[in-house]
Amino acid sequence: IAEKAADGSPARVVARHELGVKQIYRVTFDDGSSTNCTLEHLWNVRGRRERRNNLPGWRTISTEEILEAGVKRPNGVAQARQWEIPIQGPAQFPEQEVDIHPYVVGLWIGDGSKKQPSWNKPFPEIAERVRSLGYIVNCGKDGATHRIVGESHKGFLLGSRAYLFRGGLFECGSHERYIPDEYKFNTVENRRELLRGLLDTDGEWQKAGSIGYATTSERLIHDVIWLVRSLGGKAQLQPAVKNGWYPGEDGERVECRDCYRATIQLDWNPFTIEHRRNQWKPCESRYLSRWIESIEYSHDEDAMCITVDRPDGLYLANDFIVTHNTSMLQRLMQHFGLGEMIAGEESKRTGLVFASVQLG
């Protein structure tokens, strides 16, 4: 099968290397993402040495070597993370045909009315954006309620497409919403449009330079985090769930649904709304990088490593984590001139292989 290279483009798995039963370690990063691997598994990292001396490039070292050097270093009374991995490129998926524009779907997920092609936000930029996509939008007297009443296509006015907002996702209340797979696994630009719609409704610019996103749907918050990471951004779930409430008619405390929040960093401006767009500033690359938070033993299991057809040997693992394609054993074989022969024979035997067990 095809994996994703570090830049997000498709990469072919040309060989796999069975390692037998190995100790499996969980590598966790500062944004909460994690993956399992063996002590021999290789990583491209930048450490304190590279940063202090402005050295270009990355070191390729094993999980065991990172542990021996120390996952963190003393920083006064605290411990500082010291190993960063390369920033992932936007994952490239093939285009899927969809009935509703991704921006409109993101907008509806964030603030749409159940079963209806409408939303409630007072920002005229959103309505203008939807109209620019070929939809006919009516605005209510309150200035906030908007409804799609049809489409303009090649000079012809088409009737309302309200029927498209029924079934599946569009039957969900706010706390049940999610991103359908045909929108998640789509082109980079379609996913960007989807994220723009989500952030124009439930996103906010934060003074620290990051973006906040909040929803009452636990499933959706994880979908949004996945979406941001798939676009080369950084996103993490906030540790505390917000428990809101409001005073009822008799002054009693009425509990709201739990609210899930994420912090997002991007190097491109996702906002359509003017005041948010003007406030946004691109974050520095160090805030887009993922840093190793911990490496801990997890369990013993059959393991293997894979070889991909990339000169740098890098590909994206789960959570779009940039990692290396060979084990320490494979690196030694290549050093002695055996790696290409073994990988070539393995490729002839297996073809393209799905990495269904732990990384080597």
Side-chain angles (χ1 to χ4, degrees):
I1 65 163
E3 293 282 350
K4 298 294 179 189
D7 63 0
S9 62
R12 291 176 65 83
V13 178
V14 297
R16 70 177 183 183
H17 316 281
E18 303 290 349
L19 303 178
V21 176
K22 289 284 187 178
Q23 291 184 335
I24 304 301
Y25 285 75
R26 178 168 291 274
V27 181
T28 302
F29 297 86
D30 62 320
D31 63 350
S33 60
S34 65
T35 194
N36 289 343
C37 66
T38 66
L39 286 173
E40 297 90 347
H41 183 72
L42 300 178
W43 298 90
N44 268 26
V45 295
R46 277 172 53 87
R48 190 184 187 197
R49 184 181 73 187
E50 287 81 7
R51 290 189 297 276
R52 292 187 68 178
N53 297 295
N54 293 317
L55 297 177
W58 301 80
R59 257 192 283 177
T60 302
I61 60 177
S62 69
T63 308
E64 186 171 24
E65 288 172 318
I66 294 173
L67 279 171
E68 290 174 351
V71 174
K72 294 183 178 180
R73 61 177 178 81
N75 184 21
V77 296
Q79 293 285 310
R81 307 179 191 97
Q82 62 173 339
W83 303 103
E84 64 176 305
I85 63 171
I87 299 170
Q88 74 278 16
Q92 299 173 27
F93 299 112
E95 185 171 10
Q96 295 195 59
E97 185 176 349
V98 292
D99 292 322
I100 305 172
H101 193 278
Y103 178 83
V104 178
V105 171
L107 169 63
W108 186 91
I109 290 174
D111 200 58
S113 301
K114 187 175 180 179
K115 302 182 184 180
Q116 296 297 324
S118 60
W119 70 92
N120 291 279
K121 275 288 184 287
F123 308 116
E125 299 95 329
I126 294 179
E128 291 170 7
R129 173 69 176 136
V130 175
R131 290 188 182 104
S132 75
L133 299 173
Y135 296 92
I136 303 168
V137 178
N138 283 351
C139 179
K141 294 181 180 180
D142 61 0
T145 303
H146 295 82
R147 181 180 178 86
I148 296 174
V149 296
E151 287 183 283
S152 176
H153 182 66
K154 295 181 179 179
F156 294 95
L157 299 182
L158 306 180
S160 172
R161 299 185 72 181
Y163 69 92
L164 289 177
F165 287 80
R166 297 183 183 277
L169 167 69
F170 301 105
E171 301 283 343
C172 295
S174 297
H175 64 291
E176 304 167 309
R177 294 182 182 179
Y178 60 94
I179 299 176
D181 282 351
E182 61 267 31
Y183 287 91
K184 287 176 67 175
F185 299 97
N186 215 310
T187 64
V188 172
E189 185 53 34
N190 281 341
R191 298 201 313 278
R192 283 192 173 196
E193 289 289 346
L194 176 68
L195 185 60
R196 287 186 181 106
L198 288 160
L199 295 181
D200 275 346
T201 50
D202 287 339
E204 61 179 6
W205 176 83
Q206 298 176 335
K207 290 183 178 180
S210 60
I211 297 168
Y213 184 82
T215 175
T216 55
S217 170
E218 185 174 9
R219 180 177 177 182
L220 178 58
I221 199 68
H222 290 290
D223 280 348
V224 170
I225 290 172
W226 183 97
L227 179 64
V228 171
R229 290 173 180 168
S230 82
L231 290 169
K234 188 173 182 179
Q236 62 188 94
L237 184 68
Q238 291 300 299
V241 175
K242 182 179 179 181
N243 306 118
W245 64 278
Y246 62 92
E249 293 182 359
D250 299 324
E252 75 279 15
R253 182 186 176 100
V254 180
E255 300 293 335
C256 301
R257 296 187 186 277
D258 290 344
C259 181
Y260 304 91
R261 297 175 292 173
T263 298
I264 296 168
Q265 279 91 22
L266 294 169
D267 60 358
W268 55 277
N269 195 330
F271 293 115
T272 300
I273 299 170
E274 185 175 4
H275 71 273
R276 292 181 189 171
R277 188 170 185 82
N278 292 338
Q279 288 174 327
W280 180 86
K281 295 180 181 179
C283 64
E284 299 177 28
S285 61
R286 59 177 173 157
Y287 297 121
L288 281 174
S289 295
R290 284 192 256 200
W291 300 71
I292 296 177
E293 174 68 29
S294 64
I295 301 177
E296 299 175 327
Y297 169 76
S298 175
H299 60 283
D300 288 3
E301 187 176 344
D302 278 328
M304 73 176 184
C305 63
I306 62 174
T307 301
V308 296
D309 62 347
R310 289 286 157 163
D312 59 8
L314 300 180
Y315 69 98
L316 299 182
N318 61 291
D319 282 336
F320 305 97
I321 295 167
V322 178
T323 192
H324 206 282
N325 76 167
T326 57
S327 70
M328 182 67 74
L329 174 63
Q330 183 70 4
R331 184 167 66 168
L332 290 173
M333 289 192 297
Q334 289 174 343
H335 177 75
F336 290 105
L338 301 174
E340 289 187 8
M341 179 182 70
I342 293 174
E345 291 301 314
E346 183 71 8
S347 179
K348 292 177 185 177
R349 183 174 68 84
T350 63
L352 301 181
V353 183
F354 176 64
S356 58
V357 295
Q358 305 298 342
L359 300 173

